[in-house]
Amino acid sequence: MSNLPTFSDVLSAADNLRGHAVHTPLITNSMLDDRVEGRVFMKAECLQRTGSFKFRGAYNALSRAGDEGRKRGIVACSSGNHAQGIAEAARLMGQQATIIMPEDAPLLKKQRTARSGATIIEYDRYLEDREMLTQKHAEETGAILVHPYENHDVIAGQGTVGLEACRDLQQLGLEADHFLVCAGGGGLMAGITIAAKHHFPSVQIHPVEPEGHDDQRRSHIAGERLGGNVNTPSLCDAILTQMPGEASFAICQGQLSDGLVVSDQEAMDAVAFAFHELKLVVEPGGAVTLAALLSGKLHVAGKTVLATLSGGNIDPPVMARALDI
Amino acid sequence: MSNLPTFSDVLSAADNLRGHAVHTPLITNSMLDDRVEGRVFMKAECLQRTGSFKFRGAYNALSRAGDEGRKRGIVACSSGNHAQGIAEAARLMGQQATIIMPEDAPLLKKQRTARSGATIIEYDRYLEDREMLTQKHAEETGAILVHPYENHDVIAGQGTVGLEACRDLQQLGLEADHFLVCAGGGGLMAGITIAAKHHFPSVQIHPVEPEGHDDQRRSHIAGERLGGNVNTPSLCDAILTQMPGEASFAICQGQLSDGLVVSDQEAMDAVAFAFHELKLVVEPGGAVTLAALLSGKLHVAGKTVLATLSGGNIDPPVMARALDI
């Protein structure tokens, strides 16, 4: 990416998304607040169109591709949430989308991607390189590649999550002390960093990752992009990436506070908490921020906290396991 | 009840609830809108404190009971949602609550009532009269009886559901053509009728009930309160009542449009739709409005529709059944 997105790109993404993306609410819960002794505002992107924030970046990118996208088609790689975002945005735009998905992606995510009319090509996540497969498809077919996070318009679109959250908090007369973000490749975190640091310059932004996949945390400590071990199994499929994106890393460098890491069990406990107490359907990868708060990874007593609940596309059997049915 | 609540009572209930009840969002979903060819705004009271709208009326009533409530204690009868609302409001007020609950009330509702510190007395829903039991307890102990719908302050509190929904819709520059309300004793419907008819005088308000429990529909057609058959089993435990409340019937008389009736299966399909598509946890009785829309009980093409999702306190095994896990 030659030029990195700025706050004005986030503002124009917000204009672009108006009437298409859901302005999701900030959810509060007195039991959670009592437990952490702070005020937590959860940005419920599980309520977003297609069930995750990914629709924002996808729609922003595809609407800018416009006629060119209709002529050439779109290709994207994704474990599921970017896939659904792209597939649905393409349907709305009258573009044909092809999605390169790992064959062990959650069934629900495959089904929901297919129902928007996208073509799915499966690959083996442990043996094949999805970036190369996607690049090859783009070269062979001429389709426009929309990367899940190495893309200017995608990052700007995800930034609207932060924009809405900060504006809504300001309307309540509050300022955020902390912003916990579910982190995979870092597109959401980069977009949120742009918006949140504009509104609240001293806010502490924390990437939250699953155990064994804390490449964001380690990279930002090291000051360089480090690879993770994608072979470590995790239920947090939505946020498993090989290493931080180049663009998102550049945007976030020097802007982040401590990275937080949660176990699969902590993520599943947060899924159950969201079900029972918040009445929200959240997937494990979308619940890691809540998991970090519930398991006390960050001391937020007396603080105002924003946290993303980034998606809700959970297979029913995984929910059954979380609820111990 | 000697005097019926008015719009100004709803306004003062809103003042009273500010900072205590959640201002719940209106949820939209493009798939639902496409399906009914209209614009549906769901008032997600499952996101309310204690998981249902009942907290509003309970808090409004108990805060007005104040010191008297602290001295005498509170007693209420409820299958679960009013119970939780009363128990939590009493905890916040420093009052002692006793709840008369049917022994076959959902386990989750009993547990959540107990954890707020209320004392639970169980009865047999098929053999005993809960109204009499509650009255007797109040007389013997001197506790203040807070009826789930035959109560001025409770109805005014529930009216804030309608107040928020109408104001939020107006902020979007829209007017409601229809308002679908989950109806049991009618406290919520009465409160909503007061607020909605103030904001949108020509809005059509529809009670929605489970099959075999359509006493609101039949009573409003007959022009007098008719009893239902409480022995007909239904999964919609939240809205099974013997007959419309006297006060709510008086408030709603001549104000309602066609009552809608859904089967348990339609309610369960709506619970599954809410899980998969809205990412909301809704209980069967709270999903009857969505069920009516999904099963085409009302033609809303081209219309703007408000609908309550009144609660989310569902036992996990019931959710598992809805999701066919």
Side-chain angles (χ1 to χ4, degrees):
Chain A
M1 202 185 307
S2 48
N3 67 325
L4 296 175
T6 62
F7 185 66
S8 79
D9 294 313
V10 176
L11 289 178
S12 60
D15 283 340
N16 209 12
L17 290 173
R18 192 163 298 126
H20 302 289
V22 176
H23 182 125
T24 55
L26 290 179
I27 302 287
T28 56
N29 180 266
S30 56
M31 177 172 285
L32 176 61
D33 285 356
D34 290 348
R35 188 140 151 192
V36 303
E37 297 174 12
R39 295 184 72 173
V40 182
F41 295 84
M42 287 164 286
K43 182 67 170 164
E45 282 294 300
C46 49
L47 304 175
Q48 186 52 262
R49 202 161 178 158
T50 73
S52 92
F53 72 94
K54 293 281 191 180
F55 176 77
R56 296 175 184 262
Y59 188 90
N60 194 43
L62 266 57
S63 66
R64 290 181 200 284
D67 279 343
E68 189 72 8
R70 272 180 284 276
K71 211 161 54 192
R72 294 167 53 191
I74 306 292
V75 64
C77 58
S78 165
S79 68
N81 281 336
H82 180 58
Q84 289 172 76
I86 289 284
E88 182 63 7
R91 187 183 72 81
L92 294 170
M93 293 289 157
Q95 298 163 345
Q96 179 56 43
T98 301
I99 314 286
I100 316 286
M101 282 184 99
E103 59 191 6
D104 62 349
L107 182 62
L108 185 85
K109 293 182 176 180
K110 285 190 207 174
Q111 287 170 340
R112 291 169 59 99
T113 302
R115 84 176 181 196
S116 290
T119 304
I120 296 175
I121 299 176
E122 297 191 347
Y123 74 98
D124 185 326
R125 198 158 64 84
Y126 300 98
L127 297 175
E128 298 175 272
D129 180 336
R130 70 176 188 173
E131 308 272 337
M132 246 161 56
L133 281 173
T134 315
Q135 191 63 49
K136 191 161 155 261
H137 182 93
E139 280 162 16
E140 283 172 7
T141 64
I144 297 174
L145 194 163
V146 182
H147 194 279
Y149 43 90
E150 296 287 22
N151 180 300
H152 182 279
D153 298 329
V154 168
I155 293 176
Q158 322 302 36
T160 61
V161 173
L163 185 72
E164 288 175 7
C166 293
R167 284 178 171 173
D168 288 352
L169 200 62
Q170 280 179 324
Q171 276 219 334
L172 298 172
L174 295 170
E175 259 192 53
D177 299 303
H178 299 275
F179 204 143
L180 278 65
V181 186
C182 306
L188 176 62
M189 191 168 62
I192 282 179
T193 296
I194 295 167
K197 287 286 183 180
H198 175 91
H199 283 275
F200 308 124
S202 63
V203 65
Q204 296 191 38
I205 299 171
H206 306 268
V208 189
E209 296 167 289
E211 261 176 27
H213 296 272
D214 58 340
D215 47 295
Q216 292 282 2
R217 190 186 67 81
R218 292 185 297 104
S219 297
H220 283 281
I221 289 172
E224 61 173 327
R225 292 160 66 223
L226 301 176
N229 178 5
V230 288
N231 293 334
T232 307
S234 168
L235 287 164
C236 302
D237 61 276
I239 53 174
L240 306 183
T241 42
Q242 284 162 333
M243 64 161 63
E246 207 175 328
S248 62
F249 186 77
I251 291 167
C252 295
Q253 204 165 14
Q255 303 289 312
L256 300 184
S257 300
D258 292 349
L260 310 174
V261 177
V262 301
S263 68
D264 265 13
Q265 187 55 53
E266 288 165 339
M268 290 291 265
D269 289 347
V271 169
F273 184 93
F275 182 96
H276 289 301
E277 306 302 336
L278 309 181
K279 309 300 178 188
L280 289 176
V281 178
V282 187
E283 60 186 290
V288 292
T289 51
L290 177 60
L293 290 168
L294 288 172
S295 57
K297 309 279 176 182
L298 188 69
H299 185 71
V300 296
K303 303 294 184 187
T304 301
V305 181
L306 285 167
T308 59
L309 296 177
S310 58
N313 292 313
I314 185 170
D315 274 345
V318 178
M319 180 59 90
R321 195 169 142 191
L323 299 180
D324 201 15
I325 303 176
Chain B
M1 203 183 307
S2 49
N3 67 326
L4 296 175
T6 63
F7 185 65
S8 79
D9 294 313
V10 176
L11 288 179
S12 60
D15 284 342
N16 209 13
L17 290 174
R18 190 162 298 126
H20 302 288
V22 176
H23 182 125
T24 55
L26 290 179
I27 302 288
T28 57
N29 179 266
S30 55
M31 176 172 285
L32 176 60
D33 285 355
D34 289 350
R35 189 139 150 194
V36 303
E37 297 174 11
R39 295 185 74 174
V40 181
F41 295 84
M42 286 163 286
K43 181 68 171 164
E45 281 294 301
C46 49
L47 304 176
Q48 186 52 262
R49 202 160 180 160
T50 73
S52 93
F53 72 93
K54 293 280 191 181
F55 176 77
R56 297 174 184 262
Y59 188 89
N60 193 44
L62 267 56
S63 66
R64 290 182 199 282
D67 279 343
E68 189 71 9
R70 272 180 284 277
K71 209 161 54 192
R72 295 169 52 193
I74 306 292
V75 62
C77 58
S78 165
S79 68
N81 283 335
H82 180 57
Q84 290 171 74
I86 289 286
E88 182 63 6
R91 187 182 72 80
L92 294 170
M93 293 289 157
Q95 296 163 345
Q96 179 55 42
T98 301
I99 314 285
I100 315 286
M101 283 184 97
E103 61 192 5
D104 63 347
L107 182 62
L108 185 85
K109 293 182 176 179
K110 285 191 208 174
Q111 288 170 340
R112 291 168 59 99
T113 302
R115 84 175 181 200
S116 290
T119 304
I120 296 174
I121 299 176
E122 298 192 345
Y123 74 97
D124 185 326
R125 198 157 65 84
Y126 300 98
L127 298 176
E128 298 176 273
D129 181 336
R130 69 176 188 176
E131 308 273 336
M132 247 161 56
L133 282 173
T134 315
Q135 190 63 50
K136 192 161 154 257
H137 182 94
E139 280 162 17
E140 284 171 6
T141 65
I144 298 174
L145 195 163
V146 183
H147 193 279
Y149 44 90
E150 295 287 22
N151 181 301
H152 182 279
D153 299 329
V154 167
I155 293 177
Q158 321 303 34
T160 61
V161 173
L163 185 72
E164 288 176 7
C166 294
R167 283 177 171 173
D168 288 353
L169 200 64
Q170 279 179 323
Q171 277 220 332
L172 298 171
L174 295 170
E175 258 192 53
D177 299 304
H178 299 275
F179 204 142
L180 277 65
V181 186
C182 307
L188 176 62
M189 191 168 63
I192 282 178
T193 296
I194 295 167
K197 287 285 183 181
H198 175 91
H199 282 276
F200 308 124
S202 62
V203 64
Q204 296 191 38
I205 299 172
H206 307 268
V208 189
E209 296 167 289
E211 262 176 25
H213 296 271
D214 57 340
D215 47 296
Q216 292 283 0
R217 190 186 67 81
R218 291 186 298 104
S219 296
H220 283 281
I221 289 173
E224 59 173 327
R225 293 160 66 222
L226 301 176
N229 177 5
V230 288
N231 293 333
T232 307
S234 168
L235 288 163
C236 302
D237 60 276
I239 52 174
L240 306 184
T241 41
Q242 284 162 331
M243 65 160 62
E246 207 175 329
S248 62
F249 186 77
I251 291 166
C252 294
Q253 203 166 15
Q255 303 288 311
L256 301 183
S257 300
D258 292 349
L260 310 173
V261 178
V262 302
S263 68
D264 264 13
Q265 186 56 54
E266 288 165 340
M268 290 291 265
D269 289 347
V271 168
F273 184 93
F275 182 97
H276 289 303
E277 305 302 337
L278 309 181
K279 309 301 178 188
L280 288 175
V281 178
V282 187
E283 59 187 289
V288 291
T289 52
L290 177 59
L293 290 169
L294 288 171
S295 58
K297 309 278 174 184
L298 187 70
H299 184 72
V300 296
K303 303 295 185 187
T304 301
V305 181
L306 284 168
T308 58
L309 295 177
S310 58
N313 292 314
I314 184 171
D315 274 344
V318 179
M319 179 59 90
R321 196 170 141 192
L323 299 180
D324 200 15
I325 302 176

